[in-house]
Amino acid sequence: MTSSNSSEIRYLTPPSVEIKKKKYCRFKKNGIKYVDYKDPEFLKKFLTEQGKILPRRLTGTSLKYQRKVSQAVKRARMIALLPYVTDLLK
Amino acid sequence: MLNQYETVFIATPVLSEAQIKEAVGKFKDLINSGDCELIHEEHWGLKKLAYPIQKKSTGFYHLFEFKADPAFIGKLETEYRRDERIIRFITLKLDKNAVEYSAKRRIKLSAKAQKEE
């Protein structure tokens, strides 16, 4: 990987290797301690287009806060601030 | 042992303004009459529900934040269940992070309200 054999292959447009964006828990980073269920706009960031809760490997949330988010989403669903199933959330 | 609680309830959309005020007032009086103190109340007005409840697609949302004795909450909830104008309610006990957050939120809301004036 270190020795580049660029003399062998010449690209017109060199293939771009994307630098992986480091995923982090946004709650730990910003010091947020409480996830409010009354704020559907914030919670929508953690849902898919169908309104399902996203796994934490996609959002980068830590386990503790993923559980809080999940609980907040379920409460919001109970009082009809978020739907249980839908097709057009975002 | 006073704990801080918050309750959000949804009232049917068919009610007139006066009826809403009356329904809200009834619960406010209930809270004030017991050994509790009402900290904050918000009326979110008519909002579209994410899914139909009792065939209705909108409802009047209202929020109460108050300090109360744990025994009082059972009574409050039975009153919510008995009242036909209320179609959904949720009562939560706030832990210390939630209490901090709700205080910050109130400050933000009052600052916004003042700016709008």
Side-chain angles (χ1 to χ4, degrees), chain A residues 37-41 43-44 47 71-86 89, chain B residues 8-11 13 44-62 87-90:
Chain A
Y37 65 97
K38 301 188 287 291
D39 192 0
E41 292 312 313
L43 292 174
K44 282 191 188 160
L47 304 181
Q71 187 191 61
V73 168
K74 290 172 185 174
R75 284 181 187 157
R77 284 175 179 166
M78 272 209 284
I79 50 171
L81 289 174
L82 286 175
Y84 284 96
V85 275
T86 183
L89 201 56
Chain B
V8 178
F9 64 82
I10 311 180
W44 298 346
L46 197 65
K47 280 183 85 163
K48 190 163 187 319
L49 301 177
Y51 50 87
I53 300 178
Q54 291 181 7
K55 313 279 189 334
K56 305 176 179 82
S57 55
T58 53
F60 287 101
Y61 280 81
H62 200 89
I87 51 179
R88 252 316 131 99
F89 65 92
I90 179 174

Side-chain angles (χ1 to χ4, degrees), chain A:
Chain A
M1 283 285 120
T2 47
S3 64
S4 57
N5 298 321
S6 52
S7 51
E8 289 184 5
I9 314 169
R10 288 159 151 260
Y11 293 100
L12 276 173
T13 44
S16 55
V17 186
E18 279 180 16
I19 309 166
K20 254 199 200 156
K21 255 193 278 186
K22 193 73 183 133
K23 259 190 292 196
Y24 56 87
C25 174
R26 65 176 74 203
F27 298 98
K28 278 203 177 141
K29 185 155 188 205
N30 300 325
I32 305 175
K33 293 264 177 85
Y34 176 69
V35 185
D36 191 19
Y37 65 97
K38 301 188 287 291
D39 192 0
E41 292 312 313
F42 176 69
L43 292 174
K44 282 191 188 160
K45 297 197 184 111
F46 300 94
L47 304 181
T48 69
E49 276 190 13
Q50 290 185 330
K52 301 196 214 176
I53 301 178
L54 281 168
R56 67 187 185 98
R57 61 190 162 82
L58 293 186
T59 58
T61 324
S62 69
L63 181 60
K64 174 173 169 185
Y65 290 102
Q66 175 70 4
R67 290 193 176 138
K68 293 192 185 199
V69 163
S70 178
Q71 187 191 61
V73 168
K74 290 172 185 174
R75 284 181 187 157
R77 284 175 179 166
M78 272 209 284
I79 50 171
L81 289 174
L82 286 175
Y84 284 96
V85 275
T86 183
D87 262 340
L88 29 76
L89 201 56
K90 294 187 191 174

Side-chain angles (χ1 to χ4, degrees), chain B residues 1-116:
Chain B
M1 244 321 293
L2 285 189
N3 295 318
Q4 187 158 347
Y5 297 90
E6 91 179 345
T7 126
V8 178
F9 64 82
I10 311 180
T12 46
V14 293
L15 302 175
S16 68
E17 271 238 21
Q19 285 174 312
I20 297 281
K21 283 211 168 65
E22 196 221 311
V24 166
K26 167 180 163 200
F27 291 104
K28 209 163 150 181
D29 291 337
L30 194 60
I31 292 179
N32 284 325
S33 68
D35 217 5
C36 342
E37 77 176 88
L38 179 70
I39 298 178
H40 187 55
E41 70 169 308
E42 275 176 44
H43 189 61
W44 298 346
L46 197 65
K47 280 183 85 163
K48 190 163 187 319
L49 301 177
Y51 50 87
I53 300 178
Q54 291 181 7
K55 313 279 189 334
K56 305 176 179 82
S57 55
T58 53
F60 287 101
Y61 280 81
H62 200 89
L63 163 71
F64 280 129
E65 278 182 49
F66 58 98
K67 282 211 174 94
D69 208 51
F72 172 73
I73 298 296
K75 276 188 259 161
L76 186 63
E77 292 212 332
T78 43
E79 286 305 312
Y80 283 139
R81 288 198 183 97
R82 282 195 188 134
D83 195 335
E84 283 172 353
R85 298 167 290 192
I86 295 198
I87 51 179
R88 252 316 131 99
F89 65 92
I90 179 174
T91 319
L92 296 177
K93 178 168 155 182
L94 302 181
D95 64 343
K96 61 177 169 96
N97 293 325
V99 169
E100 254 183 63
Y101 173 86
S102 68
K104 269 196 255 171
R105 178 168 176 263
R106 264 176 277 143
I107 294 173
K108 233 202 259 181
L109 280 177
S110 62
K112 211 162 87 173
Q114 276 190 350
K115 235 203 268 179
E116 274 172 24

